[in-house]
Amino acid sequence: MIDHKKVAKHWTRNHFLLYLYLCAIEADDVLEESEVDDLLDQYETMNIGDENYVRTFNDVLIEHKAHDEKEVIEFIHQYIPEYFADPENAKKLIDTLNKLSLSDGNINPEESDIIKLVSRLVGR
């Protein structure tokens, strides 16, 4: 069992946002370079002010790879209320997850499941 509090101790909302994006594009167990490019482009265009976004992404990728499916779900359950309680931010998140999931041309069932989970947790 992963100690989520220890993992996320140094994480910011940006880390968690990238984690969710990564969950959406890698739900099919295939992480294509074009999907990563789309993810980083989306993140960069949000004017988040994360000058080290590639390092942030690498930290998140390492953590995400260490989680099995159950741990991913637990992690999302634990932190989504903290970072996405605001309805406007929740809507933007869901819209972006849908867009990123379509970056490879279609939303497969695994990606759809992640989006449904996040939608349910943010009350959308």
Side-chain angles (χ1 to χ4, degrees):
M1 175 79 72
I2 291 178
D3 182 354
H4 299 301
K5 294 254 185 232
K6 182 178 178 186
V7 168
K9 186 175 185 178
H10 73 281
W11 277 29
T12 65
R13 183 178 181 272
N14 296 343
H15 287 83
F16 190 67
L17 182 64
L18 282 172
Y19 184 88
L20 292 172
Y21 288 174
L22 190 57
C23 287
I25 66 170
E26 196 184 39
D28 59 359
D29 294 323
V30 178
L31 186 60
E32 296 180 19
E33 186 176 338
S34 64
E35 290 175 314
V36 173
D37 290 343
D38 288 345
L39 183 152
L40 291 174
D41 288 346
Q42 178 67 37
Y43 186 76
E44 189 175 16
T45 62
M46 295 175 76
N47 296 319
I48 292 176
D50 185 355
E51 294 175 9
N52 297 312
Y53 69 93
V54 173
R55 189 174 104 203
T56 302
F57 176 77
N58 287 332
D59 288 347
V60 170
L61 181 60
I62 289 166
E63 190 58 42
H64 183 268
K65 290 286 191 185
H67 294 184
D68 63 23
E69 185 176 339
K70 182 179 182 229
E71 291 165 332
V72 166
I73 292 168
E74 288 173 359
F75 198 74
I76 292 171
H77 270 276
Q78 183 167 353
Y79 288 100
I80 207 147
E82 180 178 337
Y83 292 116
F84 292 98
D86 175 78
E88 185 177 332
N89 285 333
K91 182 184 180 330
K92 287 179 188 176
L93 172 64
I94 300 304
D95 291 346
T96 303
L97 290 175
N98 280 310
K99 179 180 175 183
L100 288 171
S101 292
L102 280 170
S103 67
D104 63 353
N106 65 340
I107 295 180
N108 65 45
E110 294 87 1
E111 291 168 334
S112 181
D113 289 346
I114 290 291
I115 294 168
K116 287 176 186 173
L117 170 67
V118 172
S119 295
R120 193 170 56 248
L121 291 173
V122 297
R124 304 272 327 141

PDB file of all heavy atoms in Angstrom, residues 24 57 76:
ATOM      1  N   ALA A  24      -5.615   9.770 -17.707  1.00  0.00           N
ATOM      2  CA  ALA A  24      -6.527   9.738 -18.845  1.00  0.00           C
ATOM      3  C   ALA A  24      -5.847   9.205 -20.104  1.00  0.00           C
ATOM      4  O   ALA A  24      -6.415   8.371 -20.798  1.00  0.00           O
ATOM      5  CB  ALA A  24      -7.096  11.123 -19.109  1.00  0.00           C
ATOM      6  N   PHE A  57       6.431  16.941 -14.647  1.00  0.00           N
ATOM      7  CA  PHE A  57       5.847  15.804 -15.365  1.00  0.00           C
ATOM      8  C   PHE A  57       6.623  14.521 -15.082  1.00  0.00           C
ATOM      9  O   PHE A  57       6.028  13.469 -14.839  1.00  0.00           O
ATOM     10  CB  PHE A  57       5.804  16.069 -16.869  1.00  0.00           C
ATOM     11  CG  PHE A  57       5.313  14.888 -17.653  1.00  0.00           C
ATOM     12  CD1 PHE A  57       3.965  14.581 -17.686  1.00  0.00           C
ATOM     13  CD2 PHE A  57       6.194  14.066 -18.331  1.00  0.00           C
ATOM     14  CE1 PHE A  57       3.506  13.470 -18.386  1.00  0.00           C
ATOM     15  CE2 PHE A  57       5.746  12.964 -19.033  1.00  0.00           C
ATOM     16  CZ  PHE A  57       4.394  12.665 -19.067  1.00  0.00           C
ATOM     17  N   ILE A  76      -6.686   9.303  -6.561  1.00  0.00           N
ATOM     18  CA  ILE A  76      -7.631  10.270  -7.117  1.00  0.00           C
ATOM     19  C   ILE A  76      -8.725  10.588  -6.095  1.00  0.00           C
ATOM     20  O   ILE A  76      -9.045  11.755  -5.865  1.00  0.00           O
ATOM     21  CB  ILE A  76      -8.235   9.749  -8.437  1.00  0.00           C
ATOM     22  CG1 ILE A  76      -7.158   9.709  -9.526  1.00  0.00           C
ATOM     23  CG2 ILE A  76      -9.403  10.628  -8.885  1.00  0.00           C
ATOM     24  CD1 ILE A  76      -7.585   9.005 -10.805  1.00  0.00           C
TER      25      ILE A  76
END
